[in-house]
Amino acid sequence: MFRKLRWMGLGALIAYFFDPQTGRRRRAEARQRVPAILRRTSAQAGGAAAAKATAVKAKATHLKEEEKPQPDDVTLARKVETEIFRDADVPKGKINVNAENGKVVLRGEVGEPSLIEDLEKRTKKVQGVREVENLLTAAT
């Protein structure tokens, strides 16, 4: 069944292009249009490939955050405060944060002993912190 349809389609195509009255014009049009369609299609595919390559390059370039200069002491102390006081359960008024040449000192009292280690870990994660001196105590 499909074989018959294929042969019928091929016959119609031959009749279309080799028609005695308009076949020559149709063949000339096809010679002009087919390469133009192929060029347009390949340009679109090439443009998409170029865009994808650019995106992959940008991702590879920005995999790691760029090193930033060492922040001054006040900025570093504020960054640490922003990080450690993010949670509501941290007693903001009872902790003092000082920074000097990349060394951060945490002083004060906290309610839970486990919070002391947690605050120290969070402080070490802040970019620019070189050393942490933890003078926090658990409230009794």
Side-chain angles (χ1 to χ4, degrees):
M1 166 106 174
F2 289 114
R3 184 177 261 175
K4 243 185 196 180
L5 282 176
R6 226 181 288 158
W7 285 111
M8 287 173 54
L10 182 62
L13 193 64
I14 290 172
Y16 181 80
F17 280 114
F18 292 102
D19 178 38
Q21 291 155 351
T22 57
R24 179 178 284 178
R25 181 182 55 82
R26 289 177 181 161
R27 287 190 303 272
E29 256 183 50
R31 277 193 301 269
Q32 291 174 353
R33 282 187 161 184
V34 169
I37 290 171
L38 292 175
R39 277 192 306 270
R40 201 173 316 128
T41 306
S42 66
Q44 289 171 351
K52 189 154 189 126
T54 303
V56 168
K57 178 185 174 248
K59 281 182 184 177
T61 303
H62 297 97
L63 279 178
K64 186 180 176 204
E65 186 178 347
E66 292 179 16
E67 281 295 319
K68 296 177 183 168
Q70 179 68 23
D72 62 84
D73 295 339
V74 175
T75 304
L76 183 59
R78 297 304 159 255
K79 282 181 158 185
V80 170
E81 287 174 352
T82 301
E83 183 62 34
I84 67 174
F85 295 144
R86 192 165 281 168
D87 287 342
D89 61 337
V90 177
K92 295 168 182 56
K94 295 186 176 185
I95 298 176
N96 185 6
V97 178
N98 293 339
E100 189 174 329
N101 298 324
K103 178 180 177 181
V104 176
V105 180
L106 301 175
R107 291 185 182 88
E109 283 187 9
V110 293
E112 302 171 23
S114 62
L115 193 57
I116 295 172
E117 286 182 32
D118 184 45
L119 292 175
E120 186 174 349
K121 285 179 187 175
R122 285 196 222 164
T123 302
K124 287 180 180 177
K125 288 181 182 177
V126 175
Q127 188 174 7
V129 174
R130 295 182 181 150
E131 184 183 345
V132 177
E133 186 177 344
N134 192 345
L135 302 175
L136 293 171
T137 58
T140 53

